[in-house]
């Protein structure tokens, strides 16, 4: 084999970015709803939130309220959170438990955990209404690695088929057993920036030396602005000498996850999925960001700190060192993302430029355009 055949080609050229309006135009945001948010598998929380029959959660995907629950048979179900009678929003609470039915607050029609229409109080001729046709409208729901994903498409491809084509290869991190981890801490941020700005920010590190001095102390390669280590073939970056996690010191009293390799134990890995999961994997646990686009210029971000259940249950469990560190990193990120949102709306801004170090962002932009289609 020749040298050129064995050396992976690095695309060293710069590429133009997306036009500024793709980040602030309400019309583009409407297109994204139909072609991206409602067509792809969208994470709406963690399976542990609806562990038992009758547990439920409600969540919004770009203005569409959804209700997810678990049946007595243990199956996951999701529906539009809308009563079939006259369209009232069925369930207001973000989460909770019902024994066997959801009752509409307007005329008290009730629906089973499987969405079937059960009762229509005071309707005398019930036979005039076909119960089969007037249950809650279902949407596809699947779980993977402890995350709940819904898909509003009519006939969506299986969740795993989507995950299999994600460039960050989410299916390749099984050894971290994220599905077994549980949420020990949750922080919700309201970020005045477009969801794609958050994706871009997550996938590059040219900003790390200037924005994250604390993080650059823990990950030496981040001091050079590189988001991936070209010396490694596994996509990971190596933490500083003797470090194994993201805290101010790079260490913690918490135990490492079982089953990781020597190299995993001193590494950080991250991946993202289109449209709304950004995942951080460390030897002591994981931290996920789930993005909820609210408007073209507003994204809610739920960050969840995940650890093994037996670690959370152990005496004196304390993850505040990791939370404090990553909360600081998060705030640093959101602050610059909001500045991007402000600047990108200027008449003086047309589109940006991706140097080679922003290669993941260029790939994301290409994929985004292919999915979204022409404006
Ligand atoms: S709108 Fe729900 S019962 Fe009438
Ligand atoms: Fe950052």
């Amino acid at each position: 084999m020749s040298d050129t055949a064995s050396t992976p080609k690095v695309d060293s050229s710069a590429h133009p970015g997306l036009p500024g309006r793709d980040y602030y135009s309400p019309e583009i945001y409407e297109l994204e709803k139909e072609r991206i948010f409602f067509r792809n598998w969208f994470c709406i929380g963690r399976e542990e939130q609806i562990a038992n029959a009758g547990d439920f959660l409600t969540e919004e995907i770009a203005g569409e309220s959804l209700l997810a629950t678990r049946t007595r048979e243990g199956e996951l179900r999701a529906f539009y959170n809308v009563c079939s009678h006259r369209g009232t929003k069925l369930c207001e609470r973000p989460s909770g438990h019902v024994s066997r039915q959801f009752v509409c607050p307007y005329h008290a029609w009730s629906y089973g955990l499987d969405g079937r229409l059960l009762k229509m109080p005071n309707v005398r001729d019930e036979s005039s209404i076909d119960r089969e046709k007037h249950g809650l409208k279902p949407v596809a729901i699947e779980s993977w690695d402890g995350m709940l994903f819904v898909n509003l498409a009519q006939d969506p491809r299986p969740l795993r088929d989507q995950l299999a084509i994600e460039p960050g290869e989410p299916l390749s991190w099984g050894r971290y057993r994220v599905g077994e981890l549980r949420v020990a801490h949750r922080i919700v941020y309201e970020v005045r920036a477009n969801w794609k700005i958050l994706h871009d920010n997550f996938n590059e590190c040219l900003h790390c030396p200037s924005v994250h001095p604390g993080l650059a102390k823990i990950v030496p390669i981040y001091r050079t602005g590189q988001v991936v280590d070209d010396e490694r073939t596994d996509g990971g970056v190596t933490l500083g000498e003797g470090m194994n996690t993201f805290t101010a010191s790079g260490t913690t009293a918490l135990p490492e996850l079982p089953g990781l390799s020597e190299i995993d134990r001193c590494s950080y890995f991250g991946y993202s999925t289109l449209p709304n999961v950004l995942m951080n994997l460390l030897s002591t646990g994981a931290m996920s960001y789930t993005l909820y686009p609210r408007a073209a210029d507003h994204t809610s971000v739920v960050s969840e700190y995940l650890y093994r259940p037996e670690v959370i249950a152990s005496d004196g469990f304390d993850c505040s060192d990791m939370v404090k560190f990553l909360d600081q990193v998060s705030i640093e990120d959101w602050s610059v993302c909001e500045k991007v949102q402000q600047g990108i709306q200027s008449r003086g801004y047309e589109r940006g430029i991706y140097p080679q170090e922003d290669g993941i962002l260029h790939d994301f932009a290409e994929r985004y355009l292919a999915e979204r289609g022409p404006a």
Side-chain angles (χ1 to χ4, degrees):
M1 198 184 275
S2 74
D3 274 2
T4 40
S6 61
T7 309
K9 271 213 166 106
V10 176
D11 182 358
S12 61
S13 49
H15 296 277
L18 297 170
R21 70 184 169 132
D22 283 5
Y23 299 92
Y24 64 79
S25 151
E27 291 77 27
I28 296 285
Y29 183 70
E30 288 301 313
L31 272 182
E32 291 175 348
K33 281 190 193 178
E34 292 301 328
R35 297 183 185 164
I36 295 180
F37 305 149
F38 301 162
R39 276 194 199 169
N40 283 294
W41 287 95
F42 191 106
C43 180
I44 57 161
R46 291 197 57 84
E47 203 173 354
E48 66 185 277
Q49 293 174 265
I50 49 174
N52 302 306
D55 291 349
F56 70 86
L57 66 83
T58 61
E59 198 50 81
E60 270 194 15
I61 302 182
E64 277 294 344
S65 182
L66 301 161
L67 168 64
T69 189
R70 193 179 289 275
T71 66
R72 301 215 158 272
E73 292 72 41
E75 290 171 359
L76 294 169
R77 294 293 175 93
F79 312 96
Y80 287 94
N81 187 16
V82 176
C83 175
S84 298
H85 176 212
R86 295 239 306 280
T88 303
K89 185 175 182 183
L90 184 62
C91 202
E92 277 291 345
R93 286 188 288 158
S95 63
H97 177 87
V98 293
S99 57
R100 60 173 62 97
Q101 61 187 3
F102 297 99
V103 181
C104 177
Y106 200 171
H107 314 95
W109 287 23
S110 58
Y111 301 88
L113 300 175
D114 58 1
R116 282 165 50 89
L117 175 57
L118 300 177
K119 293 205 174 119
M120 297 172 271
N122 303 315
V123 172
R124 276 172 287 183
D125 185 9
E126 288 194 358
S127 66
S128 66
I129 293 171
D130 183 346
R131 282 168 196 273
E132 295 300 316
K133 283 195 187 144
H134 296 282
L136 299 178
K137 187 162 184 196
V139 300
I141 181 166
E142 288 191 34
S143 68
W144 171 76
D145 243 5
M147 288 174 270
L148 293 170
F149 291 85
V150 296
N151 193 314
L152 307 194
Q154 281 295 338
D155 190 17
R157 59 188 165 185
L159 168 62
R160 274 170 180 74
D161 288 1
Q162 180 184 317
L163 296 173
I165 59 161
E166 290 286 348
E169 300 181 10
L171 297 177
S172 67
W173 307 110
R175 62 191 186 278
Y176 282 82
R177 291 153 65 184
V178 174
E180 295 174 23
L181 306 185
R182 294 292 176 267
V183 177
H185 195 80
R186 178 179 286 124
I187 304 176
V188 182
Y189 305 92
E190 298 302 329
V191 186
R192 292 285 156 187
N194 182 273
W195 65 282
K196 300 187 295 298
I197 293 173
L198 275 60
H199 264 271
D200 281 355
N201 177 75
F202 182 78
N203 282 310
E204 57 93 355
C205 223
L206 284 173
H207 71 278
C208 291
S210 48
V211 174
H212 302 307
L215 183 59
K217 278 188 191 142
I218 307 303
V219 187
I221 201 167
Y222 285 176
R223 293 170 212 158
T224 69
Q226 305 301 306
V227 72
V228 290
D229 185 345
D230 292 335
E231 305 284 301
R232 290 179 60 166
T233 55
D234 60 0
V237 292
T238 309
L239 309 189
E241 186 71 31
M243 299 180 183
N244 71 346
T245 196
F246 280 179
T247 62
S249 66
T251 61
T252 178
L254 295 177
E256 292 177 342
L257 301 172
L260 299 184
S261 68
E262 274 303 310
I263 187 94
D264 288 340
R265 290 164 64 193
C266 60
S267 297
Y268 159 78
F269 295 97
Y271 71 79
S272 55
T273 69
L274 189 71
N276 79 321
V277 175
L278 312 177
M279 180 64 80
N280 300 288
L281 299 170
L282 290 149
S283 77
T284 54
M287 193 274 257
S288 61
Y289 293 117
T290 312
L291 312 183
Y292 294 94
R294 304 297 188 201
D297 59 356
H298 177 197
T299 308
S300 302
V301 183
V302 177
S303 83
E304 290 175 315
Y305 292 77
L306 305 162
Y307 300 90
R308 291 204 58 83
E310 65 273 18
V311 172
I312 296 173
S314 63
D315 274 355
F317 169 76
D318 182 3
C319 61
S320 60
D321 51 358
M322 188 170 175
V323 171
K324 191 171 171 210
F325 182 82
L326 280 174
D327 181 39
Q328 172 68 25
V329 171
S330 302
I331 289 167
E332 291 164 352
D333 277 329
W334 313 149
S335 169
V336 284
C337 287
E338 291 184 344
K339 288 181 173 65
V340 171
Q341 187 69 44
Q342 289 162 18
I344 228 163
Q345 295 175 204
S346 163
R347 289 159 54 91
Y349 183 84
E350 233 169 81
R351 60 175 77 221
I353 182 84
Y354 298 132
Q356 187 232 316
E357 289 78 4
D358 285 341
I360 301 174
L361 284 57
H362 170 61
D363 293 347
F364 176 84
E366 298 270 284
R367 183 174 171 211
Y368 162 78
L369 286 175
E371 296 227 4
R372 192 204 70 193

